[in-house]
Amino acid sequence: MMSMRPMTDIAAALIPDFDLTARNTLALQARSRFGVVIDNADQLPALFDHAASQKLPVRILGGGSNVVLAPDFDGITALLALRGRVIIEQTSEVTLIEASGGETWHEFVRWTVDQGLGGLENLALIPGTVGAAPVQNIGAYGAELADSFRSLTAYDRASGATVTFGKDDCAFGYRDSTFKRQPNRFIVLAVRFALPRSWAPNLGFAGLSDLADTAEITPRAVMDRVIALRTSKLPDWRETPNAGSFFQNPVVTTTDASPVLAEFPTAPCFPQPDGRVKLSAGWLIEKSGLKGYRMGPAGISERHALVLVNLGGAQQADIAALAGHIKQTVQSRFGIALHEEPIFL
């Protein structure tokens, strides 16, 4: 169990009428009745005790990169700011490293590469925090978090205890995990990764394969290429507010995919271990004629059909309306259902 911090300390730390517009990558206009910065895990029990005594709901926010915030939240928004990253130990097979939940994911990946460690480089430049990464089992360029995951510690809001999860406990799937299926219960405090001492580059994804011809391929070279690929395709949220990939790539039966493949034999289609196939959500949206489409203050990026953008002054309802239009259009055109990645809060 964590040591308790007096409730009076938490009450004093609460910031009233907390502006969250700059705290989410979609730059949605949003405020919370109270806000508080959590930079020590010992604050959590007192926070929830205080919230319960005042009958206030609490939500946790990391980097604000995978959320669609409502204009007003009548409760406490806790910003997770736990910091720290360290090499725990090295064996003949792996280097065990740990990062706190409030660390910026990309900066953590860059740090591992600076240490001469490979294993996370394909996941560079994904927005968000280390604590949010296991929830979605983030993935990109042929890799996902689960590939290098060892364990994590989390605060369980139901029991008030700190608990440890091994890989099997997390039940990782495609953009899925135990934490996603039990929203608001667990707060990820720190994550451990086992990175291979005998590193081999993962170059199976388009845009990376030509690196195999490089005389001395390194984790840094792969990371730099991933960064170049992402910046060439995806708008920078700091310049064009967005939440990254807005829809999951649909995994469907071959029967459901057959009309798409009959019309477009070269459509992106990836066989899955369970016999189903994964289609490209961005491709489906683009082929539905929606790339660059605008609906009021919200729109679809002209650079990538999978990215919804705030064109200026958008609120949650605008993003929801646009997402609904996209889902309806793709369903009507191809008979394929799309599901959002970001969480509406």
Side-chain angles (χ1 to χ4, degrees):
M1 293 288 291
M2 296 179 180
S3 60
M4 295 292 290
R5 175 170 290 205
M7 289 173 58
T8 52
D9 289 358
I10 287 295
L14 294 181
I15 304 168
D17 193 25
F18 194 62
D19 189 355
L20 294 165
T21 306
R23 301 278 187 169
N24 71 100
T25 61
L26 264 168
L28 299 181
Q29 299 172 15
R31 307 189 79 84
S32 181
R33 182 174 175 183
F34 295 103
V36 65
V37 177
I38 300 296
D39 55 16
N40 188 317
D42 288 349
Q43 295 171 275
L44 291 172
L47 168 64
F48 291 113
D49 285 345
H50 176 73
S53 72
Q54 301 299 310
K55 296 182 171 54
L56 291 172
V58 178
R59 65 181 182 185
I60 303 296
L61 195 64
S65 62
N66 200 48
V67 295
V68 183
L69 298 180
D72 295 289
F73 179 64
D74 190 20
I76 302 172
T77 299
L79 304 179
L80 196 66
L82 307 178
R83 296 286 187 265
R85 51 202 184 195
V86 64
I87 295 176
I88 301 294
E89 66 172 323
Q90 288 187 324
T91 71
S92 59
E93 296 182 347
V94 300
T95 299
L96 192 64
I97 59 175
E98 179 177 284
S100 297
E103 286 285 334
T104 301
W105 174 260
H106 174 64
E107 293 306 316
F108 170 58
V109 172
R110 186 183 293 278
W111 175 80
T112 65
V113 171
D114 288 344
Q115 309 308 306
L117 302 173
L120 298 178
E121 58 282 343
N122 290 53
L123 304 178
L125 214 60
I126 295 178
T129 60
V130 169
V135 179
Q136 287 284 110
N137 185 23
I138 59 171
Y141 294 96
E144 60 183 18
L145 174 137
D147 298 336
S148 302
F149 178 87
R150 171 61 65 86
S151 65
L152 65 76
T153 55
Y155 178 77
D156 183 357
R157 293 179 59 171
S159 67
T162 301
V163 292
T164 300
F165 286 81
K167 187 173 183 177
D168 291 343
D169 302 319
C170 297
F172 289 126
Y174 172 62
R175 303 298 178 270
D176 195 21
S177 69
T178 294
F179 315 104
K180 189 172 182 179
R181 291 192 289 273
Q182 298 185 64
N184 302 318
R185 178 174 176 180
F186 298 102
I187 301 170
V188 179
L189 305 177
V191 186
R192 289 192 175 189
F193 297 89
L195 304 185
R197 297 291 300 277
S198 180
W199 174 78
N202 180 351
L203 305 178
F205 199 90
L208 299 180
S209 57
D210 65 298
L211 288 176
D213 299 328
T214 305
E216 287 190 38
I217 183 68
T218 64
R220 184 172 300 279
V222 177
M223 181 184 72
D224 289 345
R225 175 62 64 86
V226 167
I227 291 173
L229 288 170
R230 289 185 70 91
T231 53
S232 69
K233 296 178 180 179
L234 302 173
D236 187 333
W237 63 268
R238 290 161 294 194
E239 300 174 1
T240 307
N242 69 84
S245 299
F246 203 87
F247 296 98
Q248 298 179 16
N249 289 324
V251 178
V252 301
T253 65
T254 53
T255 299
D256 288 337
S258 59
V260 178
L261 298 177
E263 184 177 358
F264 299 98
T266 61
C269 181
F270 307 95
Q272 301 298 293
D274 62 3
R276 296 185 296 168
V277 295
K278 182 191 295 182
L279 302 176
S280 166
W283 184 92
L284 292 168
I285 294 169
E286 185 168 351
K287 288 299 182 182
S288 296
L290 292 175
K291 188 176 182 180
Y293 179 82
R294 296 188 172 200
M295 181 182 284
I300 301 172
S301 172
E302 296 180 351
R303 295 178 60 185
H304 201 298
L306 199 55
V307 179
L308 275 59
V309 298
N310 179 357
L311 300 170
Q315 296 189 5
Q316 185 188 66
D318 301 307
I319 301 298
L322 177 58
H325 177 72
I326 294 169
K327 291 192 292 184
Q328 184 179 33
T329 303
V330 171
Q331 179 76 54
S332 176
R333 175 69 176 83
F334 292 109
I336 301 293
L338 296 183
H339 299 282
E340 296 95 338
E341 280 196 21
I343 300 169
F344 283 71
L345 290 176

